[in-house]
Amino acid sequence: MSLNGRTIPTQLGVFKVNCKGLACLLVFTVSICGSAPGMCPTACICASDIVSCSNKNLSRVPGNLYKCMKRLDLSYNRIGLLEPEWVPVLFEKLNTLIVDHNCISSIVTGSFSTTPNLRYLDLSSNSLKTLGGPVFQELKALEVLLLYNNQITQIDSLAFGGLYNLQKLYLSYNLLSDFPLDLYIGKHKLTDLVLLDISFNHIHLMPIQRLSSVPAKQLSGIYLHGNPFYCDCVLYSMLIFWYQRQFSSVVDFKNEYSCLLQSDPRGHNKLPLLLDNFLNCSESTVNSSFQAFGFIHDAQVGDRLIIHCDSRISDVGTHFVWVSPDNRLLEPDRETNNLKVFPNGSLEITDAQLENSGLYSCIAINKKRLLNETIEVRINVSNFTMNRSHAHEAFNTAFTTLAACVASIILVLLYLYLTPCPCQCKAKKKKRKLNQSSAHPSILNSTMPQELNSTVPTDEKKASSGKRVAFLEPVREPKHSQNGKVKLFPNDSVITESILKTTRTKSDSDSVNSVFSDTPFMPPT
């Protein structure tokens, strides 16, 4: 059997060969794989472009491997350190490297310089403790990196620098206490990263406010279950928002989310975070979280709003439409009143009005992938002028009430401390007069002297025949010659200072202290 003049295309060019049987196959293999030093190591199993050296007690990579291999399995061996010489030969076609279940404790920069075209790298179940510096910088085409089940406690911000095509990163079952925010924000962020599994680590707190700026395409792939979170309403609100958005990271692992009370940091009592709202979080806290993640937008009359359709389906060929609160269909490049939809799915509201408030729905449709997603966004438009007038009126009312209260208090204080009290003054005056009466007693008799009686006219005697008591007002002259005595008749003249009355009044008794006789006054016969 012969093969005559057959043309064989290769990477080295197109040429014609004349060979027989096995000789032709050898030429074809050499033309593709180059000058390969060996066909297949004794300790390995080779199948076409796949080489498996699993569980062979190897401490280094064999040097006589196919240069044309695309998948190399070195799992369950004794490889301990990754350094620039650990892979002795350049393997440009190698795209899958599996080195799980070894003893790798450290990775030196430049360790992957001989495997620059890797797209899948498995370093899981090793003894890695830290990732410092750009240890993966040569792997520009890497898409999947497995680092789960190690002992990683710290990750440098430059550790994943240069992995701009990385789509999936598995860091579960490590000892991380901080969320690697540098993967999403900063100079070395990975814009194509759609899956980050950081479950079952030692994370207590999440940078929720900074995560609010991360697109939903990336947020939907963050797996956080199994971490000992502190019970917090903001974290609860974020997870509830993800659950409502049907993120598989929360929907599929709802029962795995638990939290610890800060009074019980050792985790003796783990509480289910999403099963019941035992935290009793207020509606305002939940709404503020929704607002931070773009679910609620607030605006004033006349403002211009740009609302992005934050969909997980953002591939080329995705079509976006919006539905307004009054069920109008809003499509790209078709402006309706003050509403306009752009081809990238963003909704623009120019000169916002009160009637623009309500619940809007964004629908993302990808016909090629047969996917669609609906996102609801609430827009609240308020009138600042109206609110300000209401606030001004409320302020005026409050100020008037406060001023009235202050004035009332001042009047009460004035009445209590500045108005003279007649009771006290009267009591003091009475006490003073009592002291004077006790010091200088005067006894008035109802019987008039004989000399005075003889000088009184007969008519006056008759008029006064029915009177019983005469009240006289004592007159005090402060003269040293009197020796403190009260003189009833000053200047030796008879002056009657009181009026004879038939009845005694209360004012007379209060103003004059006297001792009188009950003997009736008898007219002369």
Side-chain angles (χ1 to χ4, degrees):
M1 181 178 179
S2 64
L3 187 62
N4 297 322
R6 178 162 297 183
T7 303
I8 301 176
T10 67
Q11 289 184 345
L12 301 178
V14 179
F15 59 93
K16 293 182 179 181
V17 295
N18 292 316
C19 54
K20 295 181 180 181
L22 186 60
C24 181
L25 181 60
L26 180 60
V27 172
F28 178 75
T29 304
V30 172
S31 65
I32 295 178
C33 296
S35 56
M39 297 297 294
C40 183
T42 306
C44 303
I45 300 174
C46 303
S48 183
D49 56 357
I50 300 176
V51 177
S52 175
C53 302
S54 177
N55 199 15
K56 300 300 180 180
N57 201 26
L58 300 176
S59 58
R60 53 177 297 180
V61 179
N64 56 343
L65 293 172
Y66 284 128
K67 284 189 177 181
C68 59
M69 67 177 175
K70 294 182 179 179
R71 178 186 176 93
L72 176 60
D73 186 357
L74 297 171
S75 59
Y76 292 95
N77 282 287
R78 295 189 299 108
I79 300 174
L81 177 64
L82 299 188
E83 51 187 359
E85 293 80 17
W86 82 287
V87 179
V89 184
L90 177 63
F91 295 99
E92 293 183 349
K93 295 184 179 294
L94 186 65
N95 57 39
T96 301
L97 179 59
I98 302 174
V99 204
D100 65 291
H101 290 91
N102 277 265
C103 305
I104 302 173
S105 59
S106 179
I107 302 176
V108 180
T109 303
S111 298
F112 302 99
S113 57
T114 55
T115 57
N117 297 318
L118 284 179
R119 299 175 62 184
Y120 183 97
L121 177 59
D122 186 356
L123 295 172
S124 63
S125 300
N126 279 282
S127 303
L128 292 171
K129 293 180 175 58
T130 59
L131 295 177
V135 293
F136 303 105
Q137 62 181 354
E138 298 90 3
L139 304 177
K140 305 296 183 182
L142 190 64
E143 297 177 355
V144 181
L145 177 58
L146 283 69
L147 292 168
Y148 64 84
N149 195 27
N150 276 274
Q151 302 172 20
I152 302 174
T153 59
Q154 186 177 2
I155 298 177
D156 191 87
S157 59
L158 300 176
F160 304 107
L163 302 182
Y164 299 113
N165 291 317
L166 189 64
Q167 299 177 11
K168 298 181 180 182
L169 177 59
Y170 296 85
L171 290 168
S172 58
Y173 290 98
N174 277 284
L175 304 176
L176 294 172
S177 58
D178 296 320
F179 181 83
L181 190 63
D182 295 322
L183 296 174
Y184 299 97
I185 298 175
K187 182 179 179 181
H188 303 285
K189 64 180 180 180
L190 308 179
T191 56
D192 289 340
L193 187 64
V194 295
L195 189 148
L196 172 63
D197 185 359
I198 197 168
S199 59
F200 295 99
N201 275 270
H202 293 175
I203 300 175
H204 294 292
L205 301 172
M206 287 290 296
I208 297 174
Q209 295 299 327
R210 301 192 67 182
L211 278 178
S212 61
S213 61
V214 178
K217 179 181 179 180
Q218 294 183 289
L219 284 179
S220 61
I222 299 178
Y223 290 78
L224 299 171
H225 58 280
N227 280 283
F229 294 117
Y230 288 137
C231 296
D232 180 65
C233 282
V234 179
L235 175 64
Y236 169 80
S237 303
M238 183 190 75
L239 295 177
I240 287 295
F241 175 74
W242 289 6
Y243 186 82
Q244 292 185 0
R245 289 289 305 272
Q246 292 297 302
F247 290 175
S248 59
S249 58
V250 179
V251 175
D252 297 342
F253 297 94
K254 180 180 179 180
N255 297 333
E256 297 291 337
Y257 283 91
S258 60
C259 66
L260 308 174
L261 297 176
Q262 295 194 15
S263 59
D264 182 27
R266 294 187 178 182
H268 296 295
N269 296 315
K270 291 185 178 181
L271 304 175
L273 186 56
L274 295 178
L275 293 182
D276 298 307
N277 186 14
F278 69 93
L279 294 176
N280 196 22
C281 299
S282 63
E283 184 178 354
S284 60
T285 303
V286 177
N287 288 340
S288 64
S289 179
F290 283 17
Q291 186 173 10
F293 283 95
F295 184 75
I296 300 177
H297 295 265
D298 294 327
Q300 300 293 332
V301 172
D303 288 352
R304 176 177 177 267
L305 287 177
I306 297 290
I307 299 97
H308 300 286
C309 186
D310 194 11
S311 172
R312 291 171 287 176
I313 309 173
S314 58
D315 301 339
V316 178
T318 302
H319 183 67
F320 298 92
V321 294
W322 285 79
V323 179
S324 64
D326 53 358
N327 292 325
R328 287 183 297 167
L329 187 64
L330 309 175
E331 298 183 276
D333 301 328
R334 290 180 58 185
E335 188 170 353
T336 305
N337 295 335
N338 60 339
L339 305 176
K340 180 181 179 180
V341 178
F342 294 97
N344 64 352
S346 298
L347 173 66
E348 179 187 28
I349 302 179
T350 57
D351 191 20
Q353 300 298 321
L354 294 176
E355 54 268 20
N356 294 133
S357 299
L359 189 65
Y360 290 77
S361 298
C362 173
I363 304 174
I365 305 171
N366 192 306
K367 296 181 179 180
K368 183 181 296 185
R369 298 176 56 190
L370 299 177
L371 296 174
N372 66 80
E373 183 184 15
T374 301
I375 303 167
E376 293 182 341
V377 178
R378 179 169 296 279
I379 298 176
N380 301 320
V381 181
S382 58
N383 193 336
F384 177 74
T385 305
M386 185 181 300
N387 294 339
R388 185 172 58 180
S389 63
H390 291 333
H392 184 67
E393 292 176 0
F395 174 77
N396 287 340
T397 304
F399 181 77
T400 303
T401 305
L402 179 62
C405 293
V406 173
S408 302
I409 293 173
I410 293 176
L411 291 176
V412 170
L413 293 176
L414 290 175
Y415 177 78
L416 292 176
Y417 293 98
L418 297 183
T419 304
C421 180
C423 300
Q424 293 181 356
C425 297
K426 190 173 180 180
K428 291 181 179 179
K429 184 176 179 181
K430 184 176 180 180
K431 183 176 181 180
R432 184 172 61 250
K433 289 186 176 182
L434 286 173
N435 293 336
Q436 293 175 355
S437 300
S438 61
H440 308 287
S442 61
I443 302 175
L444 302 179
N445 294 322
S446 60
T447 305
M448 298 178 63
Q450 186 65 30
E451 295 81 6
L452 183 59
N453 188 26
S454 61
T455 59
V456 177
T458 306
D459 296 335
E460 293 180 5
K461 290 180 181 179
K462 292 180 179 181
S464 61
S465 61
K467 310 302 179 183
R468 293 182 177 244
V469 181
F471 295 92
L472 300 178
E473 180 73 16
V475 178
R476 180 179 180 182
E477 291 185 2
K479 292 182 179 181
H480 298 285
S481 59
Q482 296 290 335
N483 294 326
K485 295 182 178 180
V486 179
K487 189 175 181 179
L488 295 178
F489 303 101
N491 300 325
D492 297 327
S493 61
V494 179
I495 301 174
T496 304
E497 295 291 332
S498 61
I499 302 172
L500 298 176
K501 299 179 181 179
T502 52
T503 60
R504 185 179 61 175
T505 62
K506 182 178 180 181
S507 61
D508 293 332
S509 62
D510 290 338
S511 60
V512 179
N513 293 289
S514 62
V515 178
F516 56 89
S517 174
D518 291 334
T519 305
F521 180 78
M522 301 297 295
T525 55

